[in-house]
Amino acid sequence: NVDSSETGRMVALSMRPTAGTPVTTGPVPVAVLGKSAELWRNGLGMFTSSPVRVDNRIFQVTQTGELCIVDATTGTVTAKEKLGTFQLHASPLFAGGRLYVPMEDGQLHIVAVRGDRLVKEGVLRLEGSCLGAPSAWGGRLYVHTTARLYCFGEIRPVPGVADPGA
């Protein structure tokens, strides 16, 4: 943040920026966008956790462990839910109307989204630290930690995948 002392921020940029200063520092010219290219900004501080966009809502976990709903048009934070004290790298997953939010301390939070409300449905304590995003496939949820790879869901054959025990 060259224009403030904020630690991190969330910014929406125009798809057609009108104010860019061309800069050539190598074989490929790049444009440095000015503040006029911003549609909005807010002061949410994240480290490397990526947001999830669903319809007109952005779900983001801050470095201080808050799960936030951000209006994608205005950048306004419409809801916050404190899940932990610290979040480093892991990103939330949205599947089946729920957010699966792994935290650095090894907790996996299951949070339902009801309009602009976040409703905690449960929390699982996993061994190790959660540093990456969970994934969903074949009706199952996969979460990796620094200690294990977890698979949650119905135990059933996955179409197109051979059973190694057969």
Side-chain angles (χ1 to χ4, degrees):
N1 296 336
V2 297
D3 62 341
S4 76
S5 60
E6 287 178 308
T7 301
R9 71 170 64 133
M10 182 180 278
V11 177
L13 299 173
S14 170
M15 294 299 287
R16 294 183 192 85
T18 57
T21 305
V23 176
T24 305
T25 59
V28 179
V30 296
V32 176
L33 300 178
K35 189 167 170 60
S36 63
E38 290 183 15
L39 298 175
W40 55 258
R41 72 164 62 181
N42 66 38
L44 293 179
M46 290 72 66
F47 190 67
T48 60
S49 177
S50 296
V52 173
R53 182 175 174 162
V54 179
D55 299 323
N56 197 46
R57 295 172 295 182
I58 300 170
F59 301 98
Q60 177 65 61
V61 183
T62 68
Q63 189 171 346
T64 56
E66 286 184 304
L67 174 60
C68 302
I69 300 177
V70 178
D71 181 290
T73 302
T74 65
T76 303
V77 177
T78 60
K80 288 184 180 181
E81 184 70 38
K82 186 75 168 173
L83 300 180
T85 58
F86 183 69
Q87 174 64 329
L88 192 58
H89 303 298
S91 301
L93 168 73
F94 183 84
R98 290 178 177 79
L99 288 159
Y100 297 90
V101 187
M103 301 297 288
E104 193 274 337
D105 65 2
Q107 292 189 4
L108 175 66
H109 294 265
I110 298 99
V111 181
V113 179
R114 307 262 194 278
D116 274 338
R117 287 182 34 243
L118 298 167
V119 180
K120 285 188 194 179
E121 290 191 336
V123 62
L124 299 171
R125 177 70 180 112
L126 307 177
E127 184 182 338
S129 296
C130 296
L131 301 179
S135 61
W137 183 76
R140 297 181 179 119
L141 176 69
Y142 296 88
V143 181
H144 65 91
T145 71
T146 54
R148 298 187 184 281
L149 171 62
Y150 291 87
C151 176
F152 301 99
E154 188 178 333
I155 300 173
R156 58 183 165 80
V158 176
V161 176
D163 181 356

